[in-house]
Each structure stands twice: as structure tokens, then as C-alpha cells.
């Protein structure tokens, strides 16, 4: 009997997107018969205290940006201009290297998949007998230079435009495959759920991600402005922001047009019944909305990959970007009242959709992959 290959997925916990992609890939690998899959948060393993500080700063970056201090965006663009062979780039490339050596020796992986822009594999005599294949799954529609530091055997990218941009930066075309960003399987079925569900003709459900606003006050103001639109219902997703959920529920308890949710595993169902979603511009969340076929509205994306993601999808006609609440409400009113505008956005979403990305990646890495292998066939 052939021994199952060890597969190592390296990720980081700065936002939920990287971890979500890692879990989706892990599930796809297991579904296709590869059970020996480990997901490792490299920076948490290598620098536990520093990692907590960075995570805190990352979580606060949206609020800081709303106050006019977009430090995350400054760092993003500064590091994107680093020379590939400079000293700072070399230092960044080495981060986590010592811990990664130990992880590789522990797991002896045949394949290493990056879902976060780490550096290349460390060189070491101890690792000379272990020569894993490496792959990078890019989780944004913008290619930050750090994604190129790893120099893997293969890249899996969200769109053909991303592939073309990487080729212009010197990556061989043969090492890049367009797959889309892996999302949970339920989102691939969400568009069909939406088309088959019965909706109230006079009610427009607006799905609002609470984290689009840096403060609870601005979120409440946004809800109030949206309720001025005719025939709308607002469904607010607070995620793990328990305090926000409690405060919003208290504030809007007497308005039957407002539903407040915490963290939910039914996001695909809510998207499928919505006329649009107002969301941050993380690559994974945008990909979920694309697969669900729900028009996307993005409010004031902060500097960095979120702004680049937002502007990319706006150019493709799959999203509308507003930098004020006033403009956002006007855009949604126009979409609700104009079938041509709505259809144009739906066409943009359809053009951006990809088939099951995770399975595509697995089949590329393991051409023999088949769900039949689960039964030992």
C-alpha cells in the first residue's frame, strides 16, 4: 500500500482569510483522499508574544484608519517597494526560518502550501534530504511583492489579471495557474439557493458586515441612512463582536426591519437571499460574495490590499466602491431601482466566478487525486 504523502499548509492569523483558505484546502485534500494534512500558523509558533502584538495592531488598523492613521496601509505600500535582493527583504525572508526548519524536520512534508506571504524555504544541511514541492495560494486580487519572496514551484492565483501582473514581474507563466481564491463549498451552491428561493417582491434585503465601520457610532449611522431607502430590510452580521451585537440589538429592538446576527455558519444562505452585501474588501470575503452571486458594495476600503481588491473588482464591474456613507446609499438606491445597473453588476460577478478553486489546486498538485480514493479504491 502506498504511503500517504505528508502535506504542510503554512498560514498566519492576521484576519480570518488566510486561515479560512487553509482550512478549505485541508478539507479538499482530505475529501480527495489525502488525510495527512497539517495546518501550521508559522509566526504563532515562531514568535508567540510578538505574534499577539501584531494581531492586536492588525485588529486595530481599521479603527486607526477611520481616525486618519492608516498605518497598515503605509506599511503595505512601503514593503511593496522593497528591492527583492535588498537587506530588509532578506531579513523579512528569514522570519520564522529557524522554527520552519524544525517543523519541516517534524512533518517531513512532500508538499508545502503557503496561504500567507512567507519567505522561501530555509537552506540547511539537515534539510538536504527533504525536498518538498512548494506552492503559494495568493489570497488577494493584488500581488504584493512579498508573495514573490517564497519563489515556489507553483503559484495559484485569483484571476488572469493577477497572472499577467506576475509575469510582468518575472515569474514564468508556466508556474502560474488561475484558480480563484478557495472558499467554503457552501458558497458555490449559494447562487442556486438564491435563484430558487422565494423572495418578497417589495422587500430588498441588504446584508451589512458590521466591520465595514471603524466605530459603533458610524455603523448605527449607516443603518439609519439605509433605512431611509424604500422597502429595505437590513441584516447586520457582527461576527465575533459580541459587544457590538448587544448594543445594536438594544438600539434597534423596536425596528422590525433590522436583524442583528453574531457569528454564523449560514452566511452563504444570508448572502443568497440578499439583494446586495456591504462588506470590507478582504480577498476571501469578496470571493465568497462573488461565488454567491450577490452584488458587492464596499465602503471606504483602507489603504493596502483591501483598497486594491476593491478597485480591481470595481474595474471588473463586480463591485461598487464608495468613500462616504452618503455615496454608498446613493449607489445602493440606484442598483435597487435600476434593473440594468443590477444586471451589469451580476454580469461582472458571473465573469469573476471560478469553479471549485480548492479542488482545482489539489488536482494540479496531485493529478491522480480523486474522491474515489477516500474509499481506498
Amino acid at each position: 500500500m502506498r504511503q500517504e504523502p505528508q502535506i504542510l499548509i503554512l498560514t498566519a492569523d492576521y484576519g480570518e482569510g488566510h486561515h479560512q483558505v487553509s482550512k478549505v484546502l485541508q478539507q479538499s485534500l482530505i475529501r480527495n483522499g489525502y488525510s495527512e494534512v497539517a495546518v501550521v500558523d508559522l509566526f504563532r509558533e515562531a514568535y508567540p508574544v510578538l505574534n499577539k502584538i501584531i494581531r492586536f495592531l492588525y485588529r486595530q488598523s481599521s479603527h486607526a484608519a477611520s481616525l486618519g492613521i492608516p498605518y497598515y496601509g503605509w506599511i503595505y505600500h512601503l514593503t511593496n517597494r522593497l528591492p527583492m535582493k535588498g537587506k530588509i527583504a532578506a531579513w523579512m525572508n528569514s522570519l520564522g526560518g529557524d522554527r520552519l526548519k524544525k517543523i519541516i524536520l517534524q512533518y517531513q512534508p512532500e508538499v508545502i502550501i503557503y496561504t500567507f506571504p512567507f519567505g522561501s524555504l530555509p537552506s540547511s544541511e539537515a534539510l538536504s534530504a527533504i525536498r518538498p514541492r512548494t506552492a503559494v495560494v495568493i489570497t488577494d486580487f493584488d500581488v504584493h511583492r512579498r508573495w514573490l519572496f517564497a519563489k515556489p514551484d507553483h503559484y495559484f492565483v485569483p484571476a488572469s489579471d493577477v497572472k499577467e501582473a506576475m509575469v510582468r514581474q518575472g515569474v514564468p507563466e508556466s508556474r502560474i495557474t488561475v484558480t480563484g481564491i478557495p472558499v467554503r463549498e457552501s458558497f458555490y451552491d449559494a447562487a442556486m439557493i438564491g435563484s430558487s428561493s422565494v423572495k418578497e417582491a417589495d422587500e430588498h434585503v441588504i446584508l451589512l458586515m458590521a466591520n465595514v465601520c471603524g466605530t459603533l457610532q458610524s455603523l448605527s449611522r449607516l443603518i439609519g441612512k439605509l433605512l431611509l431607502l424604500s422597502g429595505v430590510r437590513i441584516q447586520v452580521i457582527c461576527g465575533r463582536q459580541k459587544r457590538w451585537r448587544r448594543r445594536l440589538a438594544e438600539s434597534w429592538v423596536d425596528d422590525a426591519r433590522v436583524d442583528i446576527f453574531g457569528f454564523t455558519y449560514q452566511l452563504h444562505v444570508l448572502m443568497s437571499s440578499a439583494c446586495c452585501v456591504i462588506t470590507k474588501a478582504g480577498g476571501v470575503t469578496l470571493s465568497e460574495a462573488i461565488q454567491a452571486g450577490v452584488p458587492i458594495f464596499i465602503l471606504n476600503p483602507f489603504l493596502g490590499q483591501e483598497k486594491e481588491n476593491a478597485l480591481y473588482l470595481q474595474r471588473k464591474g463586480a463591485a461598487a466602491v464608495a468613500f462616504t456613507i452618503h455615496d454608498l446609499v446613493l449607489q445602493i438606491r440606484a442598483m435597487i431601482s435600476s434593473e440594468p445597473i443590477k444586471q451589469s453588476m451580476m454580469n461582472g460577478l458571473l465573469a469573476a466566478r471560478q469553479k471549485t478553486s480548492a479542488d482545482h489546486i489539489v488536482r494540479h498538485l496531485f493529478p491522480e487525486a480523486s474522491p474515489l480514493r477516500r474509499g481506498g479504491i
Side-chain angles (χ1 to χ4, degrees):
M1 181 179 293
R2 188 178 71 86
Q3 184 176 358
E4 288 290 345
Q6 279 279 0
I7 301 162
L8 178 63
I9 301 175
L10 296 177
T11 190
D13 196 16
Y14 307 135
E16 293 192 8
H18 302 291
H19 259 301
Q20 279 191 30
V21 169
S22 299
K23 289 296 184 184
V24 169
L25 286 169
Q26 183 184 43
Q27 290 164 5
S28 178
L29 285 159
I30 292 171
R31 189 168 59 250
N32 282 281
Y34 298 94
S35 58
E36 300 298 322
V37 187
V39 177
V40 175
D41 186 329
L42 179 58
F43 283 166
R44 185 173 62 187
E45 293 268 341
Y47 314 109
V49 176
L50 179 61
N51 185 63
K52 288 181 180 179
I53 296 171
I54 295 173
R55 286 184 62 202
F56 173 79
L57 291 173
Y58 181 84
R59 289 196 301 269
Q60 297 301 313
S61 61
S62 180
H63 178 60
S66 70
L67 299 176
I69 313 173
Y71 58 79
Y72 179 86
W74 295 337
I75 295 170
Y76 181 91
H77 288 292
L78 179 64
T79 54
N80 200 26
R81 292 195 291 267
L82 288 175
M84 291 287 287
K85 296 183 179 180
K87 291 183 178 179
I88 296 177
W91 171 74
M92 294 178 70
N93 200 29
S94 69
L95 290 173
D98 290 340
R99 182 59 186 155
L100 182 54
K101 290 177 187 176
K102 295 177 181 178
I103 291 170
I104 292 173
L105 288 171
Q106 175 186 349
Y107 287 100
Q108 304 274 311
E110 179 180 310
V111 176
I112 298 178
I113 304 172
Y114 295 67
T115 64
F116 185 82
F118 298 111
S120 57
L121 293 183
S123 57
S124 167
E125 187 175 339
L127 301 179
S128 59
I130 309 170
R131 297 184 179 276
R133 290 183 290 147
T134 55
V136 165
V137 179
I138 294 181
T139 57
D140 288 297
F141 295 94
D142 179 58
V143 186
H144 190 281
R145 183 165 289 191
R146 282 215 62 199
W147 285 109
L148 307 182
F149 284 8
K151 298 180 180 177
D153 297 309
H154 210 82
Y155 286 96
F156 298 100
V157 302
S160 57
D161 303 84
V162 176
K163 178 177 180 176
E164 291 167 8
M166 293 175 66
V167 170
R168 288 195 297 271
Q169 295 187 62
V171 180
E173 185 175 358
S174 60
R175 288 171 50 199
I176 310 171
T177 299
V178 178
T179 60
I181 298 173
V183 299
R184 288 165 286 183
E185 278 201 315
S186 54
F187 285 93
Y188 294 102
D189 300 326
M192 289 186 289
I193 294 173
S195 62
S196 62
S197 62
V198 177
K199 301 180 183 180
E200 294 292 335
D202 297 328
E203 184 176 64
H204 305 286
V205 177
I206 299 174
L207 190 62
L208 171 60
M209 302 300 182
N211 60 4
V212 300
C213 295
T215 66
L216 188 58
Q217 181 181 12
S218 60
L219 179 61
S220 293
R221 179 168 168 261
L222 173 56
I223 294 171
K225 294 292 185 182
L226 289 170
L227 287 173
L228 296 177
L229 298 174
S230 176
V232 301
R233 183 179 195 87
I234 315 297
Q235 295 184 331
V236 187
I237 308 297
C238 296
R240 293 184 171 86
Q241 290 269 28
K242 294 181 180 179
R243 186 177 70 86
W244 281 30
R245 181 188 181 187
R246 184 176 65 253
R247 293 280 297 277
L248 288 171
E250 292 169 355
S251 299
W252 299 98
V253 64
D254 295 325
D255 198 320
R257 298 171 298 169
V258 180
D259 302 312
I260 310 297
F261 298 89
F263 179 81
T264 175
Y265 287 105
Q266 299 301 310
L267 184 58
H268 61 290
V269 176
L270 295 172
M271 279 190 178
S272 70
S273 62
C275 75
C276 66
V277 59
I278 305 171
T279 180
K280 289 183 70 176
V284 175
T285 302
L286 293 176
S287 295
E288 290 173 343
I290 288 169
Q291 297 302 333
V294 57
I296 301 167
F297 290 86
I298 300 165
L299 175 62
N300 198 24
F302 61 88
L303 284 174
Q305 73 267 30
E306 287 204 5
K307 187 172 183 179
E308 301 305 322
N309 287 339
L311 296 178
Y312 172 81
L313 288 185
Q314 180 174 248
R315 290 193 299 270
K316 294 297 179 180
V321 180
F323 291 91
T324 67
I325 288 176
H326 175 75
D327 288 344
L328 174 69
V329 174
L330 289 180
Q331 288 176 346
I332 293 176
R333 175 185 285 132
M335 189 273 297
I336 288 174
S337 60
S338 170
E339 188 60 32
I341 292 177
K342 180 179 180 180
Q343 191 57 52
S344 176
M345 294 189 75
M346 295 299 290
N347 291 340
L349 291 166
L350 186 61
R353 291 187 77 188
Q354 298 282 347
K355 294 183 179 179
T356 49
S357 302
D359 287 347
H360 189 170
I361 292 169
V362 171
R363 286 193 296 269
H364 191 283
L365 291 173
F366 301 98
E368 74 279 11
S370 167
L372 294 176
R373 297 179 73 250
R374 286 179 294 172
I377 297 175

